[in-house]
Amino acid sequence: MVITSTINNTTTVSEAELSQQVYRRSWYVTNIIIWAFLFIYPFFTILDLIFAPYLWQSLLLIRLITVLFVYVVYELARKRRLDYRLPLHVMFATVSVTYAGLCNLVDLSAVSTYFLTLSVLFLLINSVIYWESTNSYLHTALAIILLLLGYYILNQRYPLATFFEEGGQIFLIVALFSGYIPRTRYRLLWKETRLQLITQQANQQLQVLNEELSDKNRVISETNGQLQRLNEQKNNFIYIAGHDLKNLVGTIKLSVGELQSESWVLNSDQREYVEYIGDATQRIQYLLNKLLDVKDIEGPAISFNYEVFEINEEIEKIVNILEETAAQKSITLNYDPSTIPISLRLDRVFAGQIFQNLINNAIKFSQPVNTLTLQTTLADNLFVFELTDRGQAIGQERLDQMFGKLDELSHNNVNSPDRAGLGLSIALRLTEAMNGHLYYRSSPETGNYYRVEFPSV
């Protein structure tokens, strides 16, 4: 629809171009009419042999002279590029002159035949000719005048009324009615020519558009090829970096195992730190395995390993890990877990990632010497985690940008240094991917508020 509208708005035909095309087509039809007349008109001598045998030789000579004269004028007009109407006028006039003599030279019994022949000639020519109807009516009047002159010069053997009753009335009716035909044909010629020119221009524009589309498709194809190569390079980098990281994590895990085997020489705080390191190492190894899974890299969704576990204990571990980070900014994490155990069916590692990202970002963007309230509840078989920061508000617009950071990065340069709040966007994606809901708001009156909901088991 858009392309068609564009073509209709830009396709115009100038009157000069239209007139030129009409002129060419009119000349083409004139060529056909003249050559048909030149070949067929001499054969009308057959009628002379039948109805005027005593004059057929003279009549044949008249017809041949007529044909020769029309041919000379036609060639002259064609070579000198004169108006196409000139040979047609000459043809009409010579036919009228010829039949003005024929109808007055033959016997009265044959006059009706020649009038009928003249009527057929006028009808055929008017049916195929391209010009204004005034020209046809002009030649009808000329034919009547010539017939009258021929009667007074060559005939007067019987009354004029009798002469015209022998076919003159039929000729007059046929000539007048057939004279209207060129008017319709001439108008149709202009309309058809205009439509043809518009169609040609539209086809040319479509061809140009097709060439432009082909060029754009070629550019898109080349770009896709480059993107595929970059994607392969990205995957290769992920595989290489991921395997290297797995080796490093394996070394850390081995070292943690050695420390845990010698835990009797460690104090309680050291054993707790070793446990945190071991737990974090397992999480990192899990995430690396997911990263190196081709299906997870190329597929539209993450493949989760669902299991049923107690969520309050998982959140408490995360709070304990992040307390030291919060203490560096004199921030207190006030965790108020539900009084009853709450079991959820989620991916344990990714669920922990959600809450760790929310708490870690809340610490990062909170002002020093502040308190973050964390609370879990169970309402109508729905687990609810609430994080409230009543300090300085981040701002709803800024918070919206932070939760949409992944979308922003996917449409911009992946090497953009702006990673502020990326953890919030990851938390939102993971929550929704595991059929949960994450809500947030920020205002100067209430501070910053985050809420996560998951169906309980």
Side-chain angles (χ1 to χ4, degrees), residues 219-351:
V219 172
I220 291 173
S221 178
E222 293 176 355
T223 305
N224 286 337
Q226 294 175 357
L227 290 175
Q228 289 178 357
R229 289 191 294 272
L230 290 174
N231 189 54
E232 292 175 358
Q233 294 175 2
K234 177 262 297 180
N235 287 339
N236 290 334
F237 173 77
I238 290 176
Y239 298 148
I240 294 171
H243 282 290
D244 290 343
L245 288 173
K246 282 186 67 177
N247 293 333
L248 294 175
V249 171
T251 302
I252 296 173
K253 187 176 182 181
L254 182 63
S255 300
V256 171
E258 291 292 332
L259 289 174
Q260 288 177 337
S261 64
E262 301 290 337
S263 61
W264 56 274
V265 299
L266 303 174
N267 58 39
S268 59
D269 290 338
Q270 291 173 335
R271 283 195 295 270
E272 185 177 1
Y273 286 136
V274 169
E275 183 179 351
Y276 290 156
I277 294 172
D279 183 64
T281 303
Q282 290 181 354
R283 292 174 182 269
I284 294 172
Q285 190 173 40
Y286 178 82
L287 293 174
L288 283 174
N289 289 335
K290 286 292 182 183
L291 182 65
L292 294 175
D293 189 343
V294 176
K295 294 181 180 178
D296 290 338
I297 294 174
E298 302 297 340
I302 301 174
S303 176
F304 296 109
N305 293 330
Y306 287 98
E307 59 178 302
V308 178
F309 61 94
E310 211 285 317
I311 189 63
N312 287 321
E313 295 179 357
E314 197 70 24
I315 295 176
E316 186 173 0
K317 292 180 182 179
I318 295 171
V319 171
N320 292 335
I321 293 173
L322 294 177
E323 277 184 341
E324 182 64 28
T325 303
Q328 294 176 3
K329 295 181 65 175
S330 300
I331 295 175
T332 302
L333 299 180
N334 185 7
Y335 177 48
D336 182 18
S338 170
T339 56
I340 58 174
I342 303 175
S343 296
L344 302 180
R345 186 177 181 276
L346 301 171
D347 186 301
R348 184 190 295 267
V349 174
F350 283 116

Side-chain angles (χ1 to χ4, degrees), residues 19-35 73-88 130 186 189:
S19 299
Q20 185 179 13
Q21 289 298 324
V22 170
Y23 185 80
R24 289 179 179 177
R25 291 189 63 179
S26 299
W27 249 118
Y28 175 77
V29 175
T30 299
N31 291 331
I32 296 175
I33 295 173
I34 295 297
W35 280 107
V73 175
Y74 163 72
E75 285 294 325
L76 181 65
R78 187 176 62 85
K79 290 181 179 180
R80 295 191 178 183
R81 301 181 182 276
L82 301 177
D83 193 285
Y84 70 93
R85 297 175 180 84
L86 177 60
L88 295 176
Y130 283 128
Y186 197 57
L189 174 63

Side-chain angles (χ1 to χ4, degrees), residues 327-380:
Q328 294 176 3
K329 295 181 65 175
S330 300
I331 295 175
T332 302
L333 299 180
N334 185 7
Y335 177 48
D336 182 18
S338 170
T339 56
I340 58 174
I342 303 175
S343 296
L344 302 180
R345 186 177 181 276
L346 301 171
D347 186 301
R348 184 190 295 267
V349 174
F350 283 116
Q353 191 75 22
I354 294 171
F355 300 111
Q356 184 169 344
N357 285 359
L358 289 175
I359 300 171
N360 191 47
N361 274 272
I363 295 172
K364 182 186 301 184
F365 291 99
S366 179
Q367 74 275 16
V369 189
N370 190 22
T371 299
L372 301 181
T373 302
L374 295 77
Q375 185 178 17
T376 62
T377 56
L378 182 65
D380 297 329

Side-chain angles (χ1 to χ4, degrees), residues 60-272:
L60 174 60
L61 180 61
I62 294 174
R63 294 183 190 278
L64 291 177
I65 293 173
T66 301
V67 167
L68 180 61
F69 182 68
V70 171
Y71 175 73
V72 171
V73 175
Y74 163 72
E75 285 294 325
L76 181 65
R78 187 176 62 85
K79 290 181 179 180
R80 295 191 178 183
R81 301 181 182 276
L82 301 177
D83 193 285
Y84 70 93
R85 297 175 180 84
L86 177 60
L88 295 176
H89 281 301
V90 172
M91 181 186 66
F92 253 120
T94 53
V95 168
S96 298
V97 171
T98 301
Y99 272 85
L102 292 177
C103 291
N104 286 285
L105 290 174
V106 299
D107 293 337
L108 184 61
S109 60
V111 171
S112 60
T113 301
Y114 285 91
F115 266 123
L116 182 60
T117 305
L118 182 61
S119 302
V120 171
L121 284 173
F122 266 68
L123 177 62
L124 291 176
I125 295 173
N126 283 328
S127 298
V128 295
I129 206 168
Y130 283 128
W131 66 7
E132 300 81 355
S133 291
T134 53
N135 294 319
S136 295
Y137 291 130
L138 177 63
H139 282 285
T140 299
L142 178 63
I144 297 297
I145 293 172
L146 291 173
L147 285 168
L148 291 173
L149 287 174
Y151 174 80
Y152 285 110
I153 296 172
L154 302 174
N155 200 340
Q156 296 186 2
R157 292 169 290 172
Y158 35 78
L160 182 62
T162 304
F163 173 72
F164 276 98
E165 286 175 358
E166 293 296 326
Q169 297 173 347
I170 296 176
F171 165 71
L172 183 60
I173 294 172
V174 171
L176 290 175
F177 278 97
S178 64
Y180 186 79
I181 297 176
R183 176 178 180 271
T184 303
R185 287 177 54 80
Y186 197 57
R187 287 187 175 182
L188 288 175
L189 174 63
W190 279 83
K191 291 181 179 179
E192 290 176 0
T193 305
R194 184 187 298 275
L195 180 60
Q196 182 181 10
L197 290 174
I198 291 175
T199 303
Q200 290 176 355
Q201 292 184 7
N203 289 335
Q204 292 174 356
Q205 292 180 10
L206 284 174
Q207 185 176 0
V208 172
L209 289 175
N210 286 333
E211 292 175 356
E212 292 178 355
L213 286 175
S214 298
D215 292 340
K216 291 180 180 179
N217 288 334
R218 178 177 53 79
V219 172
I220 291 173
S221 178
E222 293 176 355
T223 305
N224 286 337
Q226 294 175 357
L227 290 175
Q228 289 178 357
R229 289 191 294 272
L230 290 174
N231 189 54
E232 292 175 358
Q233 294 175 2
K234 177 262 297 180
N235 287 339
N236 290 334
F237 173 77
I238 290 176
Y239 298 148
I240 294 171
H243 282 290
D244 290 343
L245 288 173
K246 282 186 67 177
N247 293 333
L248 294 175
V249 171
T251 302
I252 296 173
K253 187 176 182 181
L254 182 63
S255 300
V256 171
E258 291 292 332
L259 289 174
Q260 288 177 337
S261 64
E262 301 290 337
S263 61
W264 56 274
V265 299
L266 303 174
N267 58 39
S268 59
D269 290 338
Q270 291 173 335
R271 283 195 295 270
E272 185 177 1

